Amino acid sequence: MQYGVIDIGSNSIRLSIYECEGSEITQLINKREMAGLAGYVKKDGMLAEAGIRKACAILAGYKEVFAGFGIEEYGVFATASLRGAGNRDKALEAIRRETGLSPEVLTGEEEARLDYIGVNHAMPMGTGLLCDIGGGSTELVVSKEGAIEHLCSLPVGSLGLHAKYVDGLLMSDKERHQVRGVIRKAMGKVDWVGRDTLPQMCGVGGTLRALHKLSCELLGLPADAREVPAKNVKKLCKMVRDKEFFYQTVYRIVPERIFSIQPGLMILREVVDAFGCQQIAISQSGVREGYLIDRMLQTKKGCEEG
């Protein structure tokens, strides 16, 4: 059986098509459009009309992809891209009107839970920390012996921080100090953050994938390595401050992250330091796979059993 999932994120809008047989989930298609919706959020918290139109155009195209592949079972969800928008209802109505799709807007806590389901299905976590750095929010999950102990969603994301606090492409020292303060303030509001030392982290999202690419290209990490030493985060945070290095090297390796890599790495560094992480396993599965399992596969199984 084939299923489709559309993830409306703050940085990108993704379409995935899966082949599911028993407990086996195989991704057949993974399509991404860099929408940058976090950059369309105005100072009053409203998502600009241009951002809504951009989302509608991408979603209409994705619906045609589903039709072309004969996908009848599919789900659509949004995360921080719409969760905090002051005109969320207006944006959702526009999407329904223009595309016929009705996205589910996930709460931050539900996004974190679905992240865990998706990651744990692919690589059982045991005891450790899950970190998903998105464009508009960061989800953290503490797992103890294969069960969720704590989870939260922080209102800080790589693209959102850049759009709100950075004027140019590169951060100034003043902007960097301000962004660091915003990240630490958000983390300080969650009483369990940093309470335990968790050497093993599982990383999800574009910032973590960029960490792996940069580590392979610049820090000698083997291309087939599944884990990245956490000390690489600190090294790369310093490296990307250099203007010449940034424009010549970062743009060549991760051009799609040119606006978000600096704040994304800063979030990651604060999380690594808070929990004493030593190794970061990069997961290719996350919230989309969790949504597929929780909202579609288990729901269908329950209906059939009922």
Side-chain angles (χ1 to χ4, degrees):
M1 184 75 181
Q2 292 183 352
Y3 298 85
V5 175
I6 296 175
D7 172 1
I8 307 171
S10 296
N11 197 27
S12 63
I13 300 179
R14 288 178 175 267
L15 173 149
S16 297
I17 295 177
Y18 302 91
E19 179 77 39
C20 302
E21 185 174 351
S23 62
E24 293 295 319
I25 298 174
T26 303
Q27 188 178 75
L28 303 178
I29 293 175
N30 181 29
K31 185 175 175 61
R32 178 186 66 184
E33 294 282 350
M34 302 301 290
L37 295 184
Y40 287 95
V41 177
K42 297 182 287 186
K43 290 184 178 180
D44 60 2
M46 300 293 184
L47 181 61
E49 288 290 339
I52 296 174
R53 289 196 301 271
K54 190 169 189 177
C56 287
I58 294 171
L59 292 171
Y62 282 177
K63 190 175 181 182
E64 291 180 2
V65 173
F66 283 153
F69 281 88
I71 304 297
E72 297 180 355
E73 298 280 347
Y74 58 84
V76 186
F77 68 88
T79 53
S81 57
L82 293 179
R83 185 160 60 226
N87 56 341
R88 180 178 70 179
D89 291 344
K90 179 181 178 182
L92 289 172
E93 175 57 33
I95 291 171
R96 283 191 288 266
R97 183 177 64 250
E98 298 298 326
T99 71
L101 300 173
S102 298
E104 175 186 0
V105 181
L106 302 178
T107 66
E109 291 72 18
E110 183 67 355
E111 183 180 356
R113 187 183 75 87
L114 294 178
D115 262 326
Y116 180 81
I117 291 174
V119 168
N120 204 53
H121 179 83
M123 46 186 294
M125 284 189 57
T127 296
L129 175 71
L130 186 154
C131 177
D132 178 2
I133 300 174
S137 66
T138 296
E139 282 64 53
L140 300 175
V141 181
V142 171
S143 172
K144 292 292 181 71
E145 298 180 356
I148 294 175
E149 184 170 87
H150 301 293
L151 58 75
C152 73
S153 178
L154 305 174
V156 289
S158 58
L159 191 60
L161 287 174
H162 188 281
K164 190 171 183 179
Y165 298 104
V166 184
D167 286 334
L169 190 57
L170 278 171
M171 286 184 183
S172 66
D173 290 341
K174 182 179 179 180
E175 289 168 339
R176 190 178 300 108
H177 178 76
Q178 185 178 21
V179 166
R180 185 180 297 112
V182 171
I183 297 168
R184 289 178 177 177
K185 183 178 180 180
M187 292 175 63
K189 291 182 178 180
V190 184
D191 60 5
W192 53 264
V193 167
R195 182 186 298 171
D196 298 327
T197 298
L198 296 168
Q200 187 65 40
M201 174 195 287
C202 180
V204 179
T207 294
L208 277 299
R209 291 189 294 271
L211 169 71
H212 185 271
K213 287 183 180 180
L214 291 168
S215 294
C216 292
E217 290 273 353
L218 306 173
L219 299 176
L221 185 74
D224 60 351
R226 295 185 63 186
E227 293 193 347
V228 178
K231 63 183 180 182
N232 285 13
V233 178
K234 184 176 182 179
K235 291 179 180 178
L236 288 168
C237 277
K238 291 182 178 179
M239 294 169 74
V240 297
R241 294 181 189 178
D242 182 83
K243 184 176 181 179
E244 183 177 350
F245 173 86
F246 187 84
Y247 283 105
Q248 292 186 1
T249 306
V250 174
Y251 184 73
R252 173 176 58 84
I253 299 172
V254 285
E256 73 280 6
R257 297 289 158 187
I258 200 72
F259 289 101
S260 61
I261 189 63
Q262 285 186 301
L265 286 174
M266 288 180 68
I267 296 170
L268 184 57
R269 179 174 179 178
E270 294 300 325
V271 174
V272 164
D273 288 348
F275 288 93
C277 303
Q278 297 177 13
Q279 292 289 327
I280 304 173
I282 311 299
S283 175
Q284 300 302 316
S285 296
V287 67
R288 287 183 297 282
E289 288 73 21
Y291 188 91
L292 170 68
I293 293 167
D294 188 77
R295 294 290 200 274
M296 303 175 75
L297 300 184
Q298 290 186 0
T299 299
K300 182 174 182 179
K301 181 180 179 182
C303 291
E304 290 175 347
E305 290 175 350

